[in-house]
Amino acid sequence: MKLKVCGMKFTENMQQVAALQPDYLGFIFYEKSKRNFEGIIPELPKEIKKTGVFVNEYIEIVVSLVEEYRLDAIQLHGDESVSYILDLKQQLANNRALFIEENKQIKKKKNQHYISKKEVEIIKVFGIKDEFNFSALQPYLDVVDYFLFDTKGKERGGNGVKFDWSVLENYPYKKPFFLSGGISLNDLEQLQIVLKSNLPIYALDVNSKFESKPGVKKTEELEKFKNSFFTNTVK
């Protein structure tokens, strides 16, 4: 079971949260978000996957930000189609191949392009409220690494509200997914119940319920959540 902390914004807070060793840190590149990220990501432990969150963004901009911030994962929170994702993956692959070839010609290592050791993970988000047609996911099964299920609301994430988790009982696929949407310290017991199912839950994604204000995470509460839940969870 992995932990993703999303909506990071401020350098000192990033370092504090990173010290708790989550598996993913999320940075939202969406101007309409209260947690829109514009700044510098400090040096983070290599084990933490930097995740860029995008909403119907131009592919060229996504690829550019992947390179600039050395992102390990891309979370697509809009209405991105299968063809969009295929085009995105192709452009990422083309850039990777180009950089590898160019690096062969650059003798000084400090002048070489950054190339990630692994391909960038693709996470596709779907909003759920009281029901969901899971057949809509079928075309995406072979083109994304993970799904993420969030609460459908007026904001593109960060609404701080849970959807009806019982809807997930009808999830018919083996594709692993992130569970998101208003998860808080008060959900520890309910989460344990959900995780006793055979659902392929890969990670928990937390955000607004662990904030003092948008983009500032309460590290003490995050630490308590991580220790209380992840230490005692056997799946």
Side-chain angles (χ1 to χ4, degrees), residues 30 32 36 49 77 96 106-107 114 139 148 151 170 172 185 189-190 195 212-213 227 229:
Y30 182 52
K32 294 181 180 179
N36 182 47
K49 294 182 180 180
H77 223 296
R96 182 182 174 85
I106 302 173
K107 294 182 179 180
Y114 166 76
L148 185 150
T151 305
N170 298 317
L185 275 170
E189 188 174 338
Q190 190 177 355
L195 292 172
S212 57
K213 66 178 183 179
N227 291 340
F229 180 73

mmCIF file of all heavy atoms in Angstrom, residues 30 32 36 49 77 96 106-107 114 139 148 151 170 172 185 189-190 195 212-213 227 229:
data_model
loop_
_atom_site.group_PDB
_atom_site.id
_atom_site.type_symbol
_atom_site.label_atom_id
_atom_site.label_comp_id
_atom_site.label_asym_id
_atom_site.label_seq_id
_atom_site.Cartn_x
_atom_site.Cartn_y
_atom_site.Cartn_z
ATOM 1 N N TYR A 30 -2.241 23.634 -12.605
ATOM 2 C CA TYR A 30 -3.572 24.011 -13.099
ATOM 3 C C TYR A 30 -3.919 25.364 -12.500
ATOM 4 O O TYR A 30 -4.127 25.479 -11.288
ATOM 5 C CB TYR A 30 -4.596 22.946 -12.681
ATOM 6 C CG TYR A 30 -6.006 23.187 -13.162
ATOM 7 C CD1 TYR A 30 -6.297 23.437 -14.498
ATOM 8 C CD2 TYR A 30 -7.070 23.138 -12.256
ATOM 9 C CE1 TYR A 30 -7.589 23.645 -14.932
ATOM 10 C CE2 TYR A 30 -8.377 23.331 -12.681
ATOM 11 C CZ TYR A 30 -8.633 23.586 -14.018
ATOM 12 O OH TYR A 30 -9.935 23.788 -14.451
ATOM 13 N N LYS A 32 -6.411 27.266 -12.263
ATOM 14 C CA LYS A 32 -7.658 27.492 -11.537
ATOM 15 C C LYS A 32 -7.652 26.865 -10.144
ATOM 16 O O LYS A 32 -8.561 27.101 -9.349
ATOM 17 C CB LYS A 32 -8.838 26.947 -12.341
ATOM 18 C CG LYS A 32 -9.080 27.694 -13.650
ATOM 19 C CD LYS A 32 -10.281 27.130 -14.395
ATOM 20 C CE LYS A 32 -10.518 27.869 -15.705
ATOM 21 N NZ LYS A 32 -11.681 27.309 -16.452
ATOM 22 N N ASN A 36 -2.299 25.606 -7.199
ATOM 23 C CA ASN A 36 -1.496 25.674 -8.423
ATOM 24 C C ASN A 36 -0.032 25.905 -8.077
ATOM 25 O O ASN A 36 0.313 26.808 -7.313
ATOM 26 C CB ASN A 36 -2.002 26.817 -9.315
ATOM 27 C CG ASN A 36 -1.239 26.907 -10.621
ATOM 28 O OD1 ASN A 36 -1.025 25.898 -11.292
ATOM 29 N ND2 ASN A 36 -0.819 28.108 -10.987
ATOM 30 N N LYS A 49 8.220 9.715 -5.663
ATOM 31 C CA LYS A 49 7.904 9.992 -7.063
ATOM 32 C C LYS A 49 7.189 11.337 -7.180
ATOM 33 O O LYS A 49 6.107 11.522 -6.625
ATOM 34 C CB LYS A 49 7.040 8.861 -7.640
ATOM 35 C CG LYS A 49 7.785 7.531 -7.708
ATOM 36 C CD LYS A 49 6.937 6.433 -8.323
ATOM 37 C CE LYS A 49 7.713 5.134 -8.382
ATOM 38 N NZ LYS A 49 6.922 4.034 -8.985
ATOM 39 N N HIS A 77 -6.207 14.812 -14.744
ATOM 40 C CA HIS A 77 -7.401 15.063 -13.939
ATOM 41 C C HIS A 77 -8.532 15.691 -14.750
ATOM 42 O O HIS A 77 -9.515 16.178 -14.184
ATOM 43 C CB HIS A 77 -7.038 15.985 -12.769
ATOM 44 C CG HIS A 77 -7.651 15.585 -11.467
ATOM 45 N ND1 HIS A 77 -9.016 15.579 -11.248
ATOM 46 C CD2 HIS A 77 -7.094 15.175 -10.311
ATOM 47 C CE1 HIS A 77 -9.260 15.204 -10.009
ATOM 48 N NE2 HIS A 77 -8.113 14.953 -9.419
ATOM 49 N N ARG A 96 12.691 11.155 -24.896
ATOM 50 C CA ARG A 96 13.624 10.289 -24.176
ATOM 51 C C ARG A 96 14.685 9.743 -25.140
ATOM 52 O O ARG A 96 15.884 9.772 -24.848
ATOM 53 C CB ARG A 96 12.854 9.155 -23.513
ATOM 54 C CG ARG A 96 13.708 8.206 -22.678
ATOM 55 C CD ARG A 96 12.835 7.090 -22.101
ATOM 56 N NE ARG A 96 13.637 6.090 -21.429
ATOM 57 C CZ ARG A 96 14.039 6.160 -20.181
ATOM 58 N NH1 ARG A 96 13.703 7.208 -19.453
ATOM 59 N NH2 ARG A 96 14.763 5.204 -19.638
ATOM 60 N N ILE A 106 27.534 14.555 -25.883
ATOM 61 C CA ILE A 106 27.933 15.555 -24.878
ATOM 62 C C ILE A 106 28.886 14.902 -23.877
ATOM 63 O O ILE A 106 28.492 14.015 -23.113
ATOM 64 C CB ILE A 106 26.696 16.132 -24.149
ATOM 65 C CG1 ILE A 106 25.736 16.774 -25.150
ATOM 66 C CG2 ILE A 106 27.133 17.161 -23.107
ATOM 67 C CD1 ILE A 106 24.416 17.230 -24.551
ATOM 68 N N LYS A 107 30.123 15.329 -23.880
ATOM 69 C CA LYS A 107 31.135 14.672 -23.055
ATOM 70 C C LYS A 107 31.011 15.021 -21.581
ATOM 71 O O LYS A 107 31.189 14.167 -20.712
ATOM 72 C CB LYS A 107 32.524 15.032 -23.575
ATOM 73 C CG LYS A 107 32.814 14.465 -24.967
ATOM 74 C CD LYS A 107 34.219 14.810 -25.426
ATOM 75 C CE LYS A 107 34.484 14.214 -26.818
ATOM 76 N NZ LYS A 107 35.860 14.539 -27.289
ATOM 77 N N TYR A 114 18.684 15.540 -18.530
ATOM 78 C CA TYR A 114 18.183 14.598 -17.530
ATOM 79 C C TYR A 114 17.351 13.518 -18.220
ATOM 80 O O TYR A 114 16.498 13.819 -19.063
ATOM 81 C CB TYR A 114 17.322 15.311 -16.492
ATOM 82 C CG TYR A 114 16.504 14.353 -15.652
ATOM 83 C CD1 TYR A 114 17.107 13.608 -14.636
ATOM 84 C CD2 TYR A 114 15.142 14.159 -15.886
ATOM 85 C CE1 TYR A 114 16.384 12.720 -13.875
ATOM 86 C CE2 TYR A 114 14.406 13.275 -15.127
ATOM 87 C CZ TYR A 114 15.032 12.556 -14.127
ATOM 88 O OH TYR A 114 14.304 11.660 -13.385
ATOM 89 N N PRO A 139 -11.519 1.292 -22.352
ATOM 90 C CA PRO A 139 -10.570 1.740 -23.385
ATOM 91 C C PRO A 139 -9.224 2.206 -22.830
ATOM 92 O O PRO A 139 -8.233 2.253 -23.563
ATOM 93 C CB PRO A 139 -11.307 2.911 -24.047
ATOM 94 C CG PRO A 139 -12.752 2.691 -23.741
ATOM 95 C CD PRO A 139 -12.767 2.080 -22.381
ATOM 96 N N LEU A 148 -7.216 6.624 -10.840
ATOM 97 C CA LEU A 148 -7.403 7.276 -9.544
ATOM 98 C C LEU A 148 -8.865 7.669 -9.451
ATOM 99 O O LEU A 148 -9.397 8.323 -10.351
ATOM 100 C CB LEU A 148 -6.502 8.511 -9.409
ATOM 101 C CG LEU A 148 -6.521 9.220 -8.040
ATOM 102 C CD1 LEU A 148 -5.175 9.893 -7.755
ATOM 103 C CD2 LEU A 148 -7.638 10.261 -7.938
ATOM 104 N N THR A 151 -13.645 12.170 -5.737
ATOM 105 C CA THR A 151 -15.034 12.599 -5.612
ATOM 106 C C THR A 151 -15.376 13.587 -6.721
ATOM 107 O O THR A 151 -14.653 14.560 -6.941
ATOM 108 C CB THR A 151 -15.277 13.266 -4.248
ATOM 109 O OG1 THR A 151 -14.878 12.365 -3.220
ATOM 110 C CG2 THR A 151 -16.750 13.610 -4.080
ATOM 111 N N ASN A 170 -18.266 -2.712 -7.355
ATOM 112 C CA ASN A 170 -18.592 -3.126 -8.720
ATOM 113 C C ASN A 170 -17.415 -2.970 -9.684
ATOM 114 O O ASN A 170 -17.579 -3.186 -10.893
ATOM 115 C CB ASN A 170 -19.779 -2.298 -9.242
ATOM 116 C CG ASN A 170 -21.033 -2.521 -8.423
ATOM 117 O OD1 ASN A 170 -21.359 -3.645 -8.073
ATOM 118 N ND2 ASN A 170 -21.728 -1.437 -8.096
ATOM 119 N N PRO A 172 -14.686 -3.958 -11.919
ATOM 120 C CA PRO A 172 -14.531 -5.298 -12.507
ATOM 121 C C PRO A 172 -13.125 -5.646 -12.995
ATOM 122 O O PRO A 172 -12.914 -6.746 -13.510
ATOM 123 C CB PRO A 172 -15.495 -5.242 -13.696
ATOM 124 C CG PRO A 172 -15.382 -3.824 -14.164
ATOM 125 C CD PRO A 172 -15.129 -2.984 -12.919
ATOM 126 N N LEU A 185 -8.058 11.573 8.929
ATOM 127 C CA LEU A 185 -7.752 10.718 10.087
ATOM 128 C C LEU A 185 -8.994 9.991 10.599
ATOM 129 O O LEU A 185 -8.894 8.931 11.214
ATOM 130 C CB LEU A 185 -7.157 11.567 11.213
ATOM 131 C CG LEU A 185 -5.647 11.821 11.172
ATOM 132 C CD1 LEU A 185 -5.269 12.871 12.203
ATOM 133 C CD2 LEU A 185 -4.875 10.535 11.418
ATOM 134 N N GLU A 189 -10.766 3.559 10.360
ATOM 135 C CA GLU A 189 -11.528 2.323 10.544
ATOM 136 C C GLU A 189 -12.220 1.895 9.253
ATOM 137 O O GLU A 189 -12.185 0.722 8.865
ATOM 138 C CB GLU A 189 -12.566 2.509 11.661
ATOM 139 C CG GLU A 189 -13.277 1.221 12.050
ATOM 140 C CD GLU A 189 -14.194 1.415 13.254
ATOM 141 O OE1 GLU A 189 -13.983 2.381 14.022
ATOM 142 O OE2 GLU A 189 -15.114 0.603 13.415
ATOM 143 N N GLN A 190 -12.828 2.855 8.570
ATOM 144 C CA GLN A 190 -13.523 2.551 7.330
ATOM 145 C C GLN A 190 -12.551 2.091 6.240
ATOM 146 O O GLN A 190 -12.858 1.200 5.445
ATOM 147 C CB GLN A 190 -14.308 3.771 6.849
ATOM 148 C CG GLN A 190 -15.266 3.468 5.695
ATOM 149 C CD GLN A 190 -16.073 4.692 5.299
ATOM 150 O OE1 GLN A 190 -15.996 5.747 5.942
ATOM 151 N NE2 GLN A 190 -16.852 4.559 4.242
ATOM 152 N N LEU A 195 -10.133 -2.097 2.638
ATOM 153 C CA LEU A 195 -8.933 -2.797 2.200
ATOM 154 C C LEU A 195 -8.980 -4.299 2.449
ATOM 155 O O LEU A 195 -8.139 -5.037 1.945
ATOM 156 C CB LEU A 195 -7.704 -2.194 2.885
ATOM 157 C CG LEU A 195 -7.378 -0.767 2.428
ATOM 158 C CD1 LEU A 195 -6.274 -0.172 3.272
ATOM 159 C CD2 LEU A 195 -6.978 -0.753 0.963
ATOM 160 N N SER A 212 -3.638 23.081 6.715
ATOM 161 C CA SER A 212 -3.986 24.241 7.530
ATOM 162 C C SER A 212 -4.511 25.363 6.632
ATOM 163 O O SER A 212 -5.291 26.202 7.053
ATOM 164 C CB SER A 212 -2.767 24.722 8.325
ATOM 165 O OG SER A 212 -1.686 25.022 7.463
ATOM 166 N N LYS A 213 -4.047 25.370 5.389
ATOM 167 C CA LYS A 213 -4.565 26.236 4.327
ATOM 168 C C LYS A 213 -4.157 25.588 3.011
ATOM 169 O O LYS A 213 -3.283 24.699 3.007
ATOM 170 C CB LYS A 213 -4.012 27.661 4.450
ATOM 171 C CG LYS A 213 -2.525 27.800 4.232
ATOM 172 C CD LYS A 213 -2.095 29.262 4.331
ATOM 173 C CE LYS A 213 -0.602 29.422 4.028
ATOM 174 N NZ LYS A 213 -0.175 30.838 4.100
ATOM 175 N N ASN A 227 1.491 6.458 10.345
ATOM 176 C CA ASN A 227 1.876 5.480 11.366
ATOM 177 C C ASN A 227 0.702 4.606 11.784
ATOM 178 O O ASN A 227 0.837 3.400 11.964
ATOM 179 C CB ASN A 227 2.450 6.187 12.584
ATOM 180 C CG ASN A 227 3.798 6.825 12.311
ATOM 181 O OD1 ASN A 227 4.480 6.451 11.347
ATOM 182 N ND2 ASN A 227 4.200 7.777 13.127
ATOM 183 N N PHE A 229 -2.150 3.966 10.090
ATOM 184 C CA PHE A 229 -2.764 3.164 9.029
ATOM 185 C C PHE A 229 -1.768 2.246 8.346
ATOM 186 O O PHE A 229 -1.943 1.029 8.298
ATOM 187 C CB PHE A 229 -3.424 4.057 7.991
ATOM 188 C CG PHE A 229 -4.063 3.278 6.878
ATOM 189 C CD1 PHE A 229 -5.239 2.581 7.099
ATOM 190 C CD2 PHE A 229 -3.477 3.217 5.628
ATOM 191 C CE1 PHE A 229 -5.825 1.837 6.075
ATOM 192 C CE2 PHE A 229 -4.045 2.486 4.611
ATOM 193 C CZ PHE A 229 -5.226 1.799 4.839
#
